[in-house]
Amino acid sequence: MSLWKSALLSPEHLPEPCADDPAALPGFAGPRERALEEGIWSLGDADLLAIVLGTGLVGTPVTLVSAAILARFSGLEGLSRLGPHALAEHPGLGLAKALRIAASLELGRRAFERAVRPRPPVRSSAEIAAWCAAHLGPLDHEQMWVISLDGRNGMRGARRVAQGGLHGCSVAARDILRAALADAASALVLVHNHPSGDSAPSPEDVDMTNAVAAAGEVVGVPLVDHIILAPDGHYSSLHDLGMIEPGDAPRDAVARP
């Protein structure tokens, strides 16, 4: 092992902070500050790992510690092959920080797998109702979910945006659109349940649907449907009932059964 690598790996040989250390200067922008100002994607591997670690060693900036870890384990590829106990053997890490690293790598792995996984297209309101029935059907209170669709009507995501009591829940159109935009949706479907057992849309449901449809047209994420579920599995689709206009979305984006 070279002297340079040994110096990186041994905390007793890590450099002492000096007056020329930029981290000690007023106004120095660390990785967290640059992530917020320039975007998380602008950071290198060592800076990203430094954010995961949070803190370094006494007298040693966390960015130097993260660089030493990457050097010791041959980069992210090497890190991804190790478990938390092996990572914890690095000086100054410990099991808690090793678990943070292992968890962040696993999150990245899962995100990639799910991003490339084929998304079967949603072909009807019945398919969405069947998918949501398992989540919403048994509830004794109302919940509102946003189903985000991609350009081929594949399901990009499903997010709960509101929760209320037996007789309703309150949610603003901006909160619904915010959830769809977070999933980079090309279109969206609203789903909520009626624990009372009657899946017919109320006047408030219709008004809220119109508000979301109008807001969706403005931001370019059209509302395709609003589905209301009853505990017994019956549902109402405002699209199927002809009570919603999907705006710029194709009229067959969610086909009538």
Side-chain angles (χ1 to χ4, degrees), residues 14-256:
L14 283 165
E16 294 293 330
C18 62
D20 294 330
D21 183 359
L25 298 176
F28 171 74
R32 285 178 291 189
E33 292 78 12
R34 284 186 283 113
L36 293 173
E37 294 176 4
E38 304 170 17
I40 194 76
W41 56 86
S42 68
L43 302 186
D45 293 349
D47 284 338
L48 290 171
L49 183 56
I51 292 177
V52 173
L53 294 175
T55 57
L57 299 171
V58 176
T60 304
V62 65
T63 49
L64 278 183
V65 175
S66 63
I69 294 170
L70 291 171
R72 176 177 183 177
F73 297 113
S74 302
L76 294 177
E77 295 82 358
L79 284 179
S80 65
R81 292 191 290 268
L82 298 173
H85 289 285
L87 290 172
E89 294 178 1
H90 182 80
L93 263 189
L95 192 56
K97 288 184 177 179
L99 281 168
R100 287 187 203 169
I101 295 173
S104 64
L105 290 169
E106 179 61 23
L107 283 173
R109 185 180 296 112
R110 293 185 187 186
F112 175 76
E113 289 176 352
R114 294 172 189 179
V116 300
R117 183 185 303 167
R119 304 185 185 102
V122 177
R123 297 182 179 86
S124 69
S125 57
E127 289 185 2
I128 294 181
W131 188 89
C132 292
H135 299 274
L136 301 178
L139 299 179
D140 60 359
H141 60 277
E142 280 201 14
Q143 288 188 2
M144 174 76 70
W145 285 58
V146 172
I147 309 298
S148 298
L149 303 178
D150 61 22
R152 298 183 178 180
N153 296 332
M155 189 183 296
R156 289 190 63 90
R159 296 171 181 256
R160 188 184 69 185
V161 293
Q163 177 172 304
L166 176 64
H167 301 292
C169 59
S170 177
V171 61
R174 64 177 177 273
D175 297 321
I176 292 170
L177 268 297
R178 186 181 296 117
L181 291 172
D183 285 331
S186 296
L188 69 97
V189 175
L190 283 179
V191 183
H192 84 278
N193 61 316
H194 279 180
S196 63
D198 183 5
S199 65
S202 67
E204 292 79 11
D205 292 335
V206 176
D207 291 343
M208 189 267 291
T209 301
N210 291 334
V212 174
E217 288 189 26
V218 172
V219 299
V221 183
L223 175 66
V224 174
D225 203 351
H226 184 176
I227 296 170
I228 303 170
L229 294 167
D232 61 2
H234 287 84
Y235 71 93
S236 294
S237 161
L238 274 70
H239 175 273
D240 298 349
L241 294 171
M243 302 174 68
I244 182 173
E245 291 295 333
D248 295 332
R251 290 305 181 94
D252 59 350
V254 177
R256 299 173 192 259

